[in-house]
């Protein structure tokens, strides 16, 4: 019996099985990465949409409503409670990187602080006054949007600043 043939066959089998395993492992990692990015993209889009919708409803209650101020504050608080921002923030906490989680916290807290100030008697007479008083919120929202975009696509071009 020729040992060289047997050893060659065994070595060839090991190389073949190893190469197949490495290829499958590489494909699995790539698929996991694509799946994770898709999950984040959907969550980020949902969170941004909830924040934008909630902010717009708060703005409408504060600036566009004809109701007296205590009722406007109540309307703004209901918009925050029903806006799904809080619930999506918990999903962010288990899915997003820590820096995006911190920014989503700031965004949610900024909206909550605004509604608390409204309920405490703060009033606004114009959009400029409302926006000016909440500029830190707008800044953290814009940074969060940029960070989300970079998390999904590290080579993405920077976004221009925009209000929700």
């Amino acid at each position: 019996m020729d040992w060289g043939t047997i050893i060659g066959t065994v070595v060839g089998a090991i190389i073949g099985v190893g190469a197949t395993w490495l290829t499958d492992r590489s494909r699995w990692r790539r698929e996991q990465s694509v799946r994770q990015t898709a999950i984040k993209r959907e969550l980020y889009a949902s969170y941004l949409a909830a924040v934008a919708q909630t902010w717009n409803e708060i703005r409408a209650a504060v600036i566009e409503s004809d109701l007296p101020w205590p009722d406007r504050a109540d309307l703004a608080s209901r918009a925050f409670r029903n806006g799904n921002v809080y619930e999506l923030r918990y999903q962010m906490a288990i899915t997003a990187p820590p820096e995006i989680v911190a920014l989503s916290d700031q965004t949610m807290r900024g909206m909550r602080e605004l509604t608390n100030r409204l309920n405490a008697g703060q009033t606004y007479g114009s959009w400029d006054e409302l926006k000016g008083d909440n500029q830190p919120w707008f800044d953290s929202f814009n940074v969060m949007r940029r960070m989300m975009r970079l998390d999904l696509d590290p080579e993405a071009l920077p976004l221009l600043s925009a209000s929700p």
Side-chain angles (χ1 to χ4, degrees):
M1 173 177 281
D2 184 9
W3 286 102
T5 304
I6 294 174
I7 291 174
T9 302
V10 169
V11 168
I14 290 172
I15 290 172
V17 168
T20 300
W21 180 81
L22 285 173
T23 301
D24 287 347
R25 179 75 177 160
S26 176
R27 184 181 319 119
W28 178 81
R29 281 187 178 170
R30 206 171 33 254
E31 289 170 357
Q32 285 294 99
S33 177
V34 167
R35 208 174 359 261
Q36 183 66 18
T37 299
I39 289 168
K40 283 185 195 179
R41 180 175 284 115
E42 186 172 325
L43 176 59
Y44 292 173
S46 295
Y47 188 73
L48 291 172
V51 167
Q53 179 178 349
T54 301
W55 176 260
N56 283 330
E57 290 178 16
I58 290 171
R59 179 196 45 76
V62 171
I63 301 300
E64 298 171 7
S65 177
D66 293 331
L67 296 173
W69 268 102
D71 294 336
R72 288 184 188 196
D74 185 51
L75 206 57
S77 293
R78 270 190 270 144
F80 176 68
R81 281 192 311 271
N82 298 332
N84 205 26
V85 173
Y86 225 102
E87 295 81 358
L88 287 168
R89 213 314 269 139
Y90 282 110
Q91 290 181 34
M92 296 284 285
I94 62 172
T95 304
E99 61 275 3
I100 294 176
V101 171
L103 290 165
S104 70
D105 279 345
Q106 282 180 332
T107 300
M108 183 210 48
R109 283 190 192 115
M111 294 171 81
R112 184 178 59 207
E113 289 166 6
L114 172 59
T115 58
N116 288 344
R117 287 193 315 268
L118 292 169
N119 285 316
Q122 174 75 43
T123 62
Y124 295 97
S126 70
W127 165 246
D128 291 335
E129 186 182 349
L130 176 63
K131 186 174 182 185
D133 195 41
N134 291 281
Q135 192 59 51
W137 181 88
F138 283 99
D139 294 341
S140 74
F141 177 80
N142 286 327
V143 169
M144 180 184 65
R145 253 181 349 117
R146 286 186 201 108
M147 294 295 291
M148 287 174 169
R149 184 176 172 95
L150 287 173
D151 184 41
L152 295 173
D153 182 6
E155 297 175 11
L157 295 174
L159 290 173
L160 299 174
S161 293
S163 299

